[in-house]
Amino acid sequence: MISVRNIYKTFGDLQVLKGVSCEIEKGEKVAIIGPSGSGKSTLLRCMNLLEEPTYGEVWLDDKLLTPIDPYIHYDLMAKTKTYHSLVSASSNGGSSSPSDVSNRTKASNDGGDKAASDKSGASGTGQSVNAALNGKKLYEAEVLEKSWQEALKWNTEVSGINLDVIRQIKDYDLLKKNEGSEYKAALKEMERVNRVDVNLARQRVGMVFQHFNLFNNLSVMNNLILAPTTLKLQSEAEATEKASELLNRIGLYDKKDEYPGRLSGGQKQRIAIVRSLVMNPEVILFDEPTSALDPEMVGEVLELIRELAEEGMTMVIVTHEMGFAREVATRVMFMDGGIIQEENTPKEFFANPQNARLQEFLSKIL
């Protein structure tokens, strides 16, 4: 349902995500755990483009939410001037280094396609065309190698493509704005066929935040009906009926005219979940939904999420509640250092962890 492909995210010099790839299937309940600063919430926010990935792509079913990243489409990269220049240098025994090719391409830049510069990526540690490389790889070797192996899954048609050159271009981020008319036309066509309006896609993906994000100047009911009526997905009467039904379900219908400031933390979070449900989402992303709550309020929120899980809702949950993850999730991921270190079924994940860092993490919290 959601396909995350080779996602990198940087904030200035801070590398938060380093080539993360994962698949979320319909009906799954995926829990993401890990220490603070490991990239869990950033990954979740990239899934519905609250944060736009620096490199990589996010797909919802068969539609692309992010701009095309040429660095994970090898047939597309093979149409670039940079690729042809490096292949030519290699076949002729030339000595063009990545910086040589980069400088030549930059000099010929006429402001062509912005996507190539905006969505350049880095993966792979392949051999360079020549021995003397003048440049700096964007990420450490082990991250690039794992990312390269992941990217190969989406590139089954590589006959006739020089993969050594592809790896060199990816490692050193060599693609520029003007990569020629053949590349530009292919990129445009790929965008036309696959890209979807992200605002339309977000209507299918609900988001529940750590700190509720309710509008304090609106009543509970107006918080719930604001999105579906503003987007003209439902009439006010339809949205109010749906919201009333859901408030009755969680026992908070009597709070419909209250303002968020008069509610407890547990009530706010349950109403935030209902706000997502009013939109009839196909998947809900939960970003540490209980971390801002008092301990006695955690149970009522987890119970609502547990009910949704039992009804078959697709979910991705960033959580520190290990017992909940063990009980409700169909798969658990452990993130550390901006990558997924291990993932497995809850039974195997908690009883037989393989990754040394995960073993250390679990030993401190269980």
Side-chain angles (χ1 to χ4, degrees):
M1 186 170 188
I2 298 178
S3 179
V4 174
R5 304 183 181 183
N6 246 19
I7 289 296
Y8 293 79
K9 182 61 182 179
T10 60
F11 296 96
D13 294 329
L14 179 62
Q15 299 174 354
V16 179
L17 298 178
K18 302 177 181 179
V20 175
S21 297
C22 62
E23 302 286 331
I24 310 298
E25 301 296 341
K26 186 175 178 60
E28 275 198 300
K29 291 81 183 167
V30 179
I32 306 176
I33 69 170
S36 297
S38 60
K40 308 182 300 296
S41 293
T42 301
L43 173 60
L44 202 71
R45 292 171 69 85
C46 283
M47 286 185 182
N48 70 348
L49 263 65
L50 290 178
E51 296 287 353
E52 184 169 329
T54 306
Y55 314 122
E57 295 176 349
V58 178
W59 293 70
L60 180 60
D61 291 329
D62 59 347
K63 290 300 180 182
L64 180 65
L65 305 187
T66 55
I68 291 287
D69 182 353
Y71 283 87
I72 57 175
H73 297 280
Y74 298 166
D75 55 342
L76 187 59
M77 289 176 68
K79 300 180 188 300
T80 64
K81 289 181 178 179
T82 298
Y83 174 83
H84 290 299
S85 181
L86 284 172
V87 168
S88 177
S90 176
S91 62
N92 293 331
S95 58
S96 293
S97 68
S99 61
D100 294 334
V101 175
S102 178
N103 289 336
R104 286 201 304 271
T105 308
K106 184 176 181 180
S108 66
N109 179 9
D110 61 3
D113 187 73
K114 184 176 183 294
S117 66
D118 284 351
K119 302 300 294 179
S120 56
S123 57
T125 56
Q127 297 297 316
S128 59
V129 171
N130 59 84
L133 292 181
N134 298 317
K136 182 180 178 181
K137 294 182 179 180
L138 298 184
Y139 297 89
E140 54 265 35
E142 58 269 28
V143 169
L144 295 175
E145 177 61 25
K146 181 177 180 180
S147 186
W148 170 263
Q149 296 301 329
E150 288 285 345
L152 285 174
K153 298 176 183 178
W154 307 301
N155 289 275
T156 55
E157 300 296 329
V158 294
S159 59
I161 297 177
N162 187 323
L163 293 182
D164 285 342
V165 169
I166 294 292
R167 294 185 77 165
Q168 179 173 329
I169 295 171
K170 288 161 70 74
D171 275 2
Y172 292 89
D173 189 15
L174 296 180
L175 295 185
K176 301 300 174 183
K177 289 183 179 180
N178 179 21
E179 287 289 353
S181 58
E182 181 186 13
Y183 165 77
K184 186 175 182 179
L187 179 65
K188 184 177 180 180
E189 177 63 12
M190 190 176 289
E191 290 265 1
R192 185 191 69 79
V193 171
N194 296 295
R195 191 90 182 272
V196 67
D197 185 333
V198 67
N199 291 318
L200 294 177
R202 281 201 187 108
Q203 296 172 16
R204 301 171 55 194
V205 182
M207 183 85 183
V208 176
F209 300 91
Q210 179 178 348
H211 294 290
F212 324 132
N213 285 19
L214 298 173
F215 293 102
N216 289 322
N217 62 324
L218 298 179
S219 68
V220 165
M221 181 59 73
N222 285 333
N223 263 281
L224 299 181
I225 69 174
L226 179 64
T229 56
T230 300
L231 295 173
K232 302 188 185 306
L233 299 176
Q234 302 170 30
S235 68
E236 183 173 342
E238 291 170 334
T240 301
E241 181 180 1
K242 176 75 172 177
S244 298
E245 175 189 325
L246 291 167
L247 286 173
N248 270 315
R249 171 180 172 171
I250 64 172
L252 291 178
Y253 181 74
D254 62 327
K255 304 294 185 182
K256 65 184 177 65
D257 296 321
E258 295 280 7
Y259 286 81
R262 296 175 60 87
L263 304 176
S264 70
Q267 290 171 335
K268 289 178 184 178
Q269 193 60 291
R270 283 187 289 157
I271 287 169
I273 294 172
V274 166
R275 179 179 58 182
S276 178
L277 292 174
V278 170
M279 295 288 289
N280 299 312
E282 298 174 33
V283 55
I284 301 181
L285 311 177
F286 293 88
D287 187 7
E288 300 189 32
T290 61
S291 64
L293 302 180
D294 293 336
E296 62 185 10
M297 298 177 182
V298 169
E300 62 192 44
V301 173
L302 293 183
E303 181 58 33
L304 176 55
I305 297 175
R306 186 180 289 108
E307 290 176 8
L308 295 175
E310 291 172 354
E311 293 170 3
M313 175 65 71
T314 306
M315 300 179 180
V316 185
I317 310 172
V318 172
T319 184
H320 293 292
E321 301 289 339
M322 297 300 108
F324 181 76
R326 190 198 303 260
E327 175 189 352
V328 174
T330 55
R331 179 159 48 110
V332 184
M333 297 179 182
F334 173 67
M335 289 191 68
D336 188 43
I339 62 175
I340 298 172
Q341 300 279 358
E342 184 169 333
E343 58 181 306
N344 213 325
T345 62
K347 181 178 180 180
E348 285 298 312
F349 184 92
F350 289 106
N352 190 31
Q354 301 299 305
N355 180 270
R357 180 67 183 94
L358 173 57
Q359 293 170 2
E360 177 188 9
F361 179 80
L362 292 177
S363 70
K364 294 178 178 179
I365 62 173
L366 294 180

